[in-house]
Amino acid sequence: QQICDPLIRSRKISPALRPGDGRLLPVERCGFSPPGLGGPGDRALLRSQGFVDGRWVSAASSFPVLDPATGKELAKVSDCGAREAQDAVRAAHKAFQSWKCQTAKERSGLLRKWFDLLIQHKEDLAKLITAECGKPLKESLGEIAYSAAFLEWFSEEARRVYGDVVSPAAKDRRILLIKQPVGVASIITPWNFPSAMITRKVGAALAAGCTVVVKPAEDTPLSALALAELATQAGIPPGVFNVVPCSREKTPSVGEVLCTDPLVRKVSFTGSTATGKILLKHAAGTVKRVSMELGGHAPFIVFDSADVDKAVAGAMASKFRNSGQTCVCSNRFLVQSGIHDAFVEKLGKAMDAELRVGHGFEPTTTQGPLINIRAAEKVEHQIKDAVSQGATIIRGGKRLEGSFMQPTLLANVTTDMLCTSEETFGPLVPVLKFNTEEEALSIANASDVGLAGYFYSQDISQIWRVAENLEVGMVGVNEGLLSTPEASFGGVKQSGLGREGSKYGIDEYLDVKYMCFGGLTL
């Protein structure tokens, strides 16, 4: 079905920020048309209700979704609670009985239709992301392509779920191992990739034959609800894909239902390590399958043998995507003494030339706002802490209006500073100088989390040593961007459990059943 009336139209709004000085410049940006606006029969992508058992459902109250750039209200969304979550779980359980019986080819076809619809509506979906998340529109378009790619990938993987025939020890037996869907899966997702974090999980779950209940982040429910609308248009049956948006206040009660209800057999969560531990405790009561993609603290190491220009380009890509608000963003920059000064100088010049702070709908913006005031305050606190302990501000360093932060480059950083001991989630580059490979690895691995790590080197032997010894689940070697549907995504230590994407992602939603045929006369 086509959306005949545009979801987005231009209008005047609050001014955006001039990079570097915090002054204001008037800009035009896109705004929302009201939910449901359009010609007869149109289905708008801007939805404000929960989605349970194929129906749009209202809750007793609502909560506001804000533009992080201006703090202005974009929409009011149904504030679902424990009752709505229970209804969604029951609907998913009922739908599971028939969804699991559909052939892999049938499920594959529906996922492919969903993928096609995301591509068809990519511009409107991207505008939703920029509006509620704040990232530049170009990045939002990239996220939609990334999000759709998981539906495409798992539409293909649905038909590649294979079992095994095992040679038995006894002549009168035959051993088969088959894979079956786990059941209802609770999907709890973050705000920084409000579309892709859903499809990376849901694509695998639906391909395996599971049904899902999605709880999107309270900051960014609009993208999840738009996905529900397109899932309906794709022909995904009622109850297979459910969405229960809720406010921060109701998140604990909804999360508890999704992690303790006996009908739920799988929990997949992306978010902070602290919250992941709480959900693990809830899930333990009924011994549920869990996948956890938790916090990161990625090191970015530049060795003397590196191509400095390529390392600077990789640092820019790795650090400043979504204003530093990704779980795989480089957080600690370790640069060997022989090229330290050259790297810092070139990185500062690259920041001057390439980074522009402003509203995500401005064409020249590369750095949007942080998600809220608390996020900006955290980055500001880390900068003040570092400077108080001797760090030098090379670029930026200022808190701007609202939740905007200047992209900041710090030198003379030590391991005693907060920015090297806790995840930042913002546009801050703290650079530490090191002398030996052993020292760099010791600093990089001195963390209780291990999601991603990056390093630049042209020494082949060093590349193998460092790649194998970094205590992370993903390594970028001479590369600052590594996420792709074809590769596994996940960490070690307290960065989580399980893997998403790749051929391994679907296994998180499958049980292996052993079948022994005995008493055979052969």
Side-chain angles (χ1 to χ4, degrees):
Q1 292 190 344
Q2 301 294 318
I3 297 178
C4 301
D5 201 62
L7 173 66
I8 307 299
R9 65 176 185 267
S10 296
R11 65 185 175 100
K12 284 275 189 180
I13 60 119
S14 296
L17 290 157
R18 182 193 298 275
D21 59 13
R23 288 182 290 160
L24 301 177
L25 287 175
V27 298
E28 295 282 335
R29 69 111 165 160
C30 297
F32 286 98
S33 53
L37 180 66
D42 289 345
R43 291 186 178 184
L45 293 182
L46 180 60
R47 290 287 186 171
S48 59
Q49 298 170 290
F51 187 71
V52 176
D53 202 16
R55 300 187 302 273
W56 297 102
V57 298
S58 297
S61 60
S62 62
F63 66 98
V65 180
L66 306 179
D67 178 347
T70 65
K72 292 187 175 181
E73 184 176 302
L74 299 170
K76 285 188 180 295
V77 173
S78 293
D79 193 4
C80 296
R83 182 178 65 82
E84 289 82 8
Q86 290 167 349
D87 290 344
V89 169
R90 285 193 289 269
H93 183 258
K94 179 181 177 182
F96 175 64
Q97 309 312 314
S98 56
W99 181 249
K100 68 180 180 180
C101 296
Q102 291 207 16
T103 66
K105 184 176 181 180
E106 290 170 332
R107 294 196 297 268
S108 173
L110 291 172
L111 286 170
R112 180 70 198 198
K113 289 180 182 177
W114 199 9
F115 160 79
D116 290 337
L117 285 167
L118 261 68
I119 297 301
Q120 179 182 336
H121 297 294
K122 61 184 179 182
E123 288 84 6
D124 286 344
L125 293 169
K127 288 171 184 175
L128 279 176
I129 291 175
T130 293
E132 65 179 346
C133 177
K135 66 177 64 174
L137 186 57
K138 183 178 179 180
E139 287 192 21
S140 296
L141 285 165
E143 179 179 343
I144 293 302
Y146 184 50
S147 175
F150 283 109
L151 297 181
E152 180 184 41
W153 173 260
F154 285 114
S155 74
E156 297 162 350
E157 287 298 290
R159 303 184 68 181
R160 293 195 283 263
V161 175
Y162 303 128
D164 294 288
V165 177
V166 182
S167 297
K171 292 182 179 180
D172 63 343
R173 293 183 179 182
R174 291 296 179 264
I175 296 173
L176 284 79
L177 305 179
I178 65 171
K179 295 181 179 179
Q180 296 181 304
V182 170
V184 176
S186 293
I187 307 296
I188 305 174
T189 57
W191 50 263
N192 58 339
F193 286 88
S195 181
M197 293 302 94
I198 293 174
T199 58
R200 189 164 71 187
K201 299 172 186 293
V202 170
L206 268 58
C210 297
T211 55
V212 300
V213 179
V214 177
K215 194 212 84 64
E218 64 272 13
D219 294 299
T220 56
L222 302 179
S223 293
L225 297 172
L227 286 174
E229 171 59 38
L230 293 180
T232 299
Q233 295 183 31
I236 304 293
V240 172
F241 181 77
N242 306 274
V243 182
V244 284
C246 66
S247 63
R248 183 180 300 272
E249 291 71 25
K250 289 189 178 178
T251 290
S253 60
V254 170
E256 184 172 354
V257 168
L258 297 182
C259 292
T260 61
D261 193 303
L263 296 180
V264 174
R265 295 308 312 147
K266 163 78 180 185
V267 177
S268 180
F269 169 72
T270 294
S272 71
T273 299
T275 301
K277 290 177 179 179
I278 294 171
L279 300 184
L280 279 168
K281 290 179 181 178
H282 284 320
T286 46
V287 196
K288 301 187 191 305
R289 291 274 297 274
V290 295
S291 299
M292 296 276 156
E293 193 263 283
L294 308 177
H297 193 36
F300 187 101
I301 308 171
V302 187
F303 291 101
D304 282 343
S305 67
D307 182 316
V308 175
D309 291 332
K310 290 182 179 179
V312 167
M316 293 290 291
S318 175
K319 177 73 256 186
F320 293 111
R321 185 166 55 119
N322 197 18
S323 299
Q325 299 174 111
T326 84
C327 53
V328 293
C329 268
S330 296
N331 217 55
R332 299 168 289 159
F333 289 75
L334 286 62
V335 184
Q336 200 158 12
S337 54
I339 58 169
H340 173 275
D341 294 349
F343 177 85
V344 171
E345 180 182 0
K346 289 186 175 185
L347 181 58
K349 290 180 178 178
M351 291 170 64
D352 292 338
E354 299 177 26
L355 302 182
R356 297 290 181 272
V357 178
H359 198 289
F361 282 113
E362 288 188 86
T364 59
T365 293
T366 66
Q367 301 294 286
L370 301 191
I371 189 63
N372 53 41
I373 298 296
R374 296 186 306 277
E377 288 173 346
K378 179 180 181 180
V379 179
E380 183 182 29
H381 179 59
Q382 287 192 358
I383 293 171
K384 289 181 177 178
D385 170 78
V387 171
S388 72
Q389 297 188 62
T392 304
I393 297 176
I394 307 299
R395 293 291 191 282
K398 294 180 181 179
R399 166 89 176 275
L400 302 175
E401 183 177 312
S403 60
F404 285 91
M405 284 293 307
Q406 283 185 331
T408 299
L409 173 61
L410 299 180
N412 300 318
V413 173
T414 70
T415 56
D416 297 323
M417 300 172 183
L418 284 177
C419 58
T420 62
S421 60
E422 64 181 26
E423 190 174 22
T424 301
F425 243 61
L428 172 60
V429 180
V431 180
L432 298 84
K433 184 187 294 186
F434 71 90
N435 293 310
T436 67
E437 179 184 312
E438 292 74 20
E439 180 187 359
L441 282 169
S442 176
I443 295 171
N445 290 336
S447 173
D448 57 6
V449 295
L451 188 58
Y454 309 85
F455 69 94
Y456 278 72
S457 171
Q458 297 186 91
D459 180 331
I460 297 300
S461 295
Q462 183 178 64
I463 286 172
W464 281 109
R465 289 194 305 270
V466 174
E468 292 183 356
N469 283 287
L470 276 176
E471 296 174 358
V472 295
M474 298 171 283
V475 181
V477 182
N478 297 324
E479 177 56 61
L481 296 174
L482 44 67
S483 299
T484 179
E486 295 83 5
S488 61
F489 193 102
V492 300
K493 298 194 281 191
Q494 293 188 39
S495 280
L497 304 167
R499 291 296 182 267
E500 295 182 338
S502 79
K503 68 176 184 179
Y504 300 107
I506 199 168
D507 288 340
E508 300 289 333
Y509 299 90
L510 294 167
D511 284 327
V512 178
K513 178 179 284 185
Y514 161 41
M515 298 170 61
C516 179
F517 286 77
L520 300 176
T521 302
L522 301 171

